[in-house]
Amino acid sequence: MICEDKEVLASMIEEARTYTGYGQLADYIPALREADPSVLSLAIYDGGETCAAVGNVDETFTLQSISKVLSLALALMDQGEEEVFSRVGMEPTGDPFNSIIKLETNQPNKPLNPMINAGALAVTSMISGETPDHKLGRLLTFIHELTGNPEIRYDEKVAESELKTAHLNRSLSYFMKQHGVFDDDVEDLLDLYTKQCAIEVSCQDLAKIGYVIANEGKHVFSKRPIIPLHIARILKTFMVTCGMYNASGEFAIRVGIPAKSGVSGGIMASIPHGLGIGIYGPALDDRGNSIAGMKLLESLSHRYDLSIF
Ligand code: GLU
């Protein structure tokens, strides 16, 4: 069993760590520049009492784009598929995550998918709640349930740092508001979105969320559905087609596991009917994925035959 292979996992992480020197920290959100680029951690959860974890396992980090999977789950539960997909598409894009180009050229002007920033902003606008705080509270409660960790909060410093510099996300939002994708107050929406992205987790938390998504959305112990089955399937499908930015195709070939990464260096992976994996390595490759995290997932997939294809 992979979770018992602690020594092998520890040696795989040290091998992958050698790649951290070839990556860069995300710097467009100033607070993310403070991370230590040599950090690498891995957690694997198989639904048991404990979660196997190796590397710098005490490090916490912000979800960033990984939160897009969770806001999508909540919006789909709140509004239903028809409403959500009337405002955001289902197609992958070969463009970077914050690109504006297809918003203008695509007709109607709705974002191509919920994993790029434009799509995620539209999805966040569909989370139900009377106030932005209420919506954020609902998202946090959902994450507490998925992880079994009620301590999870958002990192105020990272949220504030992103909000101050989120000019591109502001532009995307104003463009979408003009084209009727949503009608929210843009500053309120950005405030909520940056707090959502700044939710702080450990790699063990990520592995547990990945496990629930992998296993049909069911609560680990009670088996009660936290996410309806058809929505858990939609999440995994977007993770395969759009989860690793504009490297998703290559990742599907080399690794073959539904996964979502974030610019903080986190990666959450879900092996259908199997393991949940959480990785943190803040040094990124040129597409915004954890450089050592990608190597680690590739070696894990080969060694344990984890590809779903
Ligand atoms: N908060 C980040 C942004 O909106 C998330 C991007 C990411 O992780 O890809 O730019």
Side-chain angles (χ1 to χ4, degrees):
M1 282 294 284
I2 181 166
C3 285
E4 272 103 62
D5 261 359
K6 277 270 188 88
E7 270 173 37
V8 176
L9 297 177
S11 80
M12 285 173 100
I13 210 167
E14 289 322 314
E15 200 183 311
R17 198 192 293 277
T18 58
Y19 290 89
T20 59
Y22 300 102
Q24 303 285 335
L25 296 172
D27 59 1
Y28 74 100
I29 299 174
L32 297 184
R33 283 184 212 142
E34 290 165 25
D36 173 354
S38 68
V39 158
L40 187 63
S41 58
L42 162 72
I44 301 184
Y45 188 56
D46 64 2
E49 285 296 321
T50 55
C51 180
V54 290
N56 306 96
V57 295
D58 297 327
E59 292 279 337
T60 56
F61 53 94
T62 55
L63 283 173
Q64 298 303 331
S65 267
I66 301 168
S67 71
K68 294 171 180 171
V69 177
L70 307 175
S71 54
L72 176 63
L74 206 50
L76 283 167
M77 289 190 270
D78 286 349
Q79 313 291 344
E81 267 179 71
E82 205 177 322
E83 175 65 16
V84 170
F85 293 122
S86 72
R87 294 170 191 272
V88 56
M90 300 179 188
E91 298 306 329
T93 159
D95 299 323
F97 65 96
N98 54 7
S99 173
I100 201 163
I101 189 161
K102 295 238 170 73
L103 256 191
E104 188 163 20
T105 56
N106 198 35
Q107 291 301 330
N109 301 99
K110 68 177 189 185
L112 275 179
N113 70 66
M115 299 293 123
I116 51 173
N117 282 7
L121 286 156
V123 164
T124 297
S125 81
M126 287 185 268
I127 295 176
S128 298
E130 273 136 42
T131 59
D133 274 355
H134 183 208
K135 295 177 191 189
L136 180 68
R138 290 190 60 239
L139 184 60
L140 280 166
T141 304
F142 178 50
I143 294 174
H144 296 163
E145 220 184 342
L146 288 165
T147 54
N149 178 0
E151 303 301 320
I152 292 175
R153 305 272 177 278
Y154 75 92
D155 180 328
E156 287 181 30
K157 195 171 150 205
V158 174
E160 209 180 289
S161 168
E162 179 171 4
L163 188 61
K164 276 196 197 135
T165 53
H167 309 306
L168 203 44
N169 284 339
R170 257 184 202 91
S171 318
L172 294 167
S173 301
Y174 278 114
F175 188 95
M176 288 188 285
K177 184 165 173 165
Q178 174 71 37
H179 287 279
V181 177
F182 53 73
D183 194 35
D184 297 42
D185 177 274
V186 168
E187 279 311 311
D188 281 353
L189 177 63
L190 281 172
D191 186 59
L192 173 59
Y193 173 78
T194 48
K195 286 176 180 162
Q196 158 195 323
C197 288
I199 292 172
E200 192 178 7
V201 295
S202 64
C203 61
Q204 295 93 323
D205 295 322
L206 267 195
K208 288 184 180 163
I209 303 174
Y211 181 84
V212 176
I213 295 173
N215 290 279
E216 300 167 351
K218 288 193 193 124
H219 186 275
V220 176
F221 298 120
S222 70
K223 304 291 175 228
R224 180 179 53 79
I226 310 179
I227 303 171
L229 171 61
H230 73 284
I231 295 182
R233 282 197 179 131
I234 292 173
L235 305 182
K236 278 180 289 223
T237 311
F238 276 124
M239 287 159 77
V240 168
T241 57
C242 321
M244 305 302 282
Y245 304 116
N246 40 335
S248 299
E250 187 178 336
F251 185 81
I253 289 172
R254 291 194 195 283
V255 182
I257 300 175
K260 180 74 199 94
S261 69
V263 289
S264 53
I267 304 178
M268 175 179 78
S270 300
I271 299 163
H273 315 291
L275 304 168
I277 300 177
I279 288 180
Y280 174 53
L284 308 180
D285 64 17
D286 56 359
R287 254 96 54 105
N289 293 309
S290 169
I291 192 162
M294 296 281 273
K295 284 285 167 200
L296 187 55
L297 272 171
E298 193 175 335
S299 334
L300 284 167
S301 176
H302 289 171
R303 180 169 186 117
Y304 296 100
D305 196 17
L306 300 178
S307 172
I308 63 168
F309 298 109

